[in-house]
Amino acid sequence: MDQRDARAGAAATLVAPLARAHRAAAIAVSVLAVAVVGGTVAGCAAVRQIAMPADPTPGAPGAVGAPGERRDGGGTDDARPTDEVRGADELRAADVAATSAVTALLQPTDAATSSAVATATRARGTPFDPDETHVSLEAIATGLDEPVHATGDGVDAQRLYVVEKAGTIEIVDLASGTVADAPFVDLSDRVNSRASEQGLLSVAFHPDYAANGRLFVNYTRRDGATVVSELAADADRRRADPASEREILVVDQPAANHNGGQNAFGPDGYLYVGMGDGGGSGAGKNAHDPSSLLGKVLRLDVDGPPGGYRVPADNPFIAGDHLPEVWAVGLRNPWRLSFDRATGDLFIADVGDSTYEEVNWQPAASRGGEDYGWPDVEGAHCHDADDGAGDSLAACDPDGRTTRPVAEYRHEDGNCSISGGHVYRGRRYPALDGVYFYADYCSGRLWGAWRDDRGRWHDAMLTDSDAAISAFGQDDAGEVYALDMAGGAVLRVAAGGR
């Protein structure tokens, strides 16, 4: 939520322990889904295609096209292969076996969905063309107070939990669009939400929440520190008890901005935590400081001793270089990270400095340890602290150590700060399957990024809105929602034919 003071003021992995067969089937579903994915655009100025080689070099960083450029074939001379994508033969074999499962997943359940299928579904193997489908944002709930995160709980598919910046979590009934009379939990007595990037910032429900009632929140404490803590829900999972709180991680913050704030469980059952670089003067150095947790993604095992955590034995820095909790480095302010529930891939939207906003992609087969480049790199460009992105990457990353983003956009025409989202895996709009949605907080523009059937990345601006999109949410059915911080609304990402 960087560079949001003006708008706010105006408005007020490794998938290690998983069985190989399970992973292959899940990824095969997504491979097939990408092949039939539909796309959407409203007033789209350009579509960008980001080249990936057929057999990427393990661990090699990715490539990104210039803004507005459509790239066909192998890209430009300085394009670099992206992160490792393993098991191509396994996926091709599993793809055939998964066909029937995907077909069932894409079947309509009502008349509205039937219409969406008729107008927006493409034959398998047809290239994604965003001009064929119109994307819109439909208000389904209003009356919320500065919403900054939303998620399902894995128990009741009709509930969407909406995190409000001041310290409460509300329950929205997706069937009626109503907000419950009483909050799910109120932590406002311990949350510092004075600055635009402080507050109660996210909640993650334990994968076994139905059985154990455990949930994990991320918020700014009264003294400015970031707190990751555990709460317990009641027996019917209708309320969480503030008195049950157990702090499992506290990280001091040098400033009131760049706090990160995302908690998300990965498909490996571990808790991933997005940490900003701490803000303030010279904070960028924290992103590569081996003694700091700032500017990084953390990976924690919260199924250890009560009130604490263990470091997973396969974390990439377990033997040194960085603190053992660290999973990835080189981030400025990861404002939302999420996992594709079909593939296990991790998406990290990182807020830029003065020129570029970026989306990073980490395949499920990754062993962690990626370096996303900050403060030397902004987007897919060298970062110049004085006048924004400057020289070519050869000047600041001659050995290609950093992982390139799969999508980026410039600070122009009102853009200022990225809000990361989710990969659509719902059934209501099959055309959107496999599209990762993200937006700009200041301009209200909504983008999508997706891979074609050759593994190449594309992105496009899909629609323009008046919303102050602070974040996204995803319900248990895989539907995606944008959150309007200024308007206090939950907006469903919808699609229809043109």
Side-chain angles (χ1 to χ4, degrees), residues 342-359:
T343 67
D345 295 347
L346 173 62
F347 288 80
I348 307 169
D350 197 20
V351 176
D353 184 16
S354 57
T355 310
Y356 290 98
E357 305 295 306
E358 67 184 70
V359 175

Side-chain angles (χ1 to χ4, degrees), residues 15 44 67 81 102 113 150-151 160 164 167 255 273 313 447:
V15 190
C44 174
V102 176
T113 308
T151 187
L160 187 72
E164 296 177 317
V273 180
W447 284 265

Side-chain angles (χ1 to χ4, degrees), residues 75 87 91 114 154 162 182 227 246 257 275 297 348 351 375 390 443 462:
L91 299 188
S114 296
V162 180
V227 173
R246 296 186 297 187
N257 61 336
M275 296 294 302
V297 173
I348 307 169
V351 176
S443 71
L462 302 177

Side-chain angles (χ1 to χ4, degrees), residues 79-248:
R80 302 174 185 267
T82 60
D83 300 285
E84 180 178 6
V85 182
R86 300 178 181 173
D89 292 337
E90 180 185 17
L91 299 188
R92 281 190 287 269
D95 181 66
V96 176
T99 301
S100 59
V102 176
T103 301
L105 228 128
L106 299 183
Q107 293 307 307
T109 56
D110 51 35
T113 308
S114 296
S115 174
V117 172
T119 58
T121 301
R122 294 175 177 78
R124 181 182 176 189
T126 303
F128 176 74
D129 183 357
D131 289 322
E132 293 185 4
T133 306
H134 173 71
V135 167
S136 61
L137 297 174
E138 300 176 348
I140 64 161
T142 58
L144 296 155
D145 183 14
E146 294 190 310
V148 293
H149 183 236
T151 187
D153 63 1
V155 173
D156 187 339
Q158 291 302 319
R159 292 188 223 167
L160 187 72
Y161 295 79
V162 180
V163 176
E164 296 177 317
K165 183 176 179 291
T168 51
I169 300 177
E170 306 288 352
I171 299 177
V172 172
D173 184 300
L174 292 172
S176 65
T178 58
V179 181
D181 293 336
F184 175 68
V185 69
D186 185 349
L187 301 175
S188 57
D189 62 347
R190 65 206 71 178
V191 170
N192 176 359
S193 61
R194 290 190 295 271
S196 65
E197 296 178 34
Q198 295 178 318
L200 178 59
L201 301 178
S202 70
V203 61
F205 292 88
H206 191 279
D208 292 328
Y209 175 71
N212 62 31
R214 301 171 69 198
L215 57 140
F216 297 80
V217 293
N218 189 312
Y219 67 89
T220 311
R221 201 168 61 182
R222 292 290 183 175
D223 62 0
T226 288
V227 173
V228 176
S229 64
E230 177 181 348
L231 299 173
D234 58 18
D236 65 3
R237 307 294 183 253
R238 294 291 174 180
R239 297 285 183 273
D241 181 6
S244 69
E245 182 182 14
R246 296 186 297 187
E247 295 181 352
I248 67 169

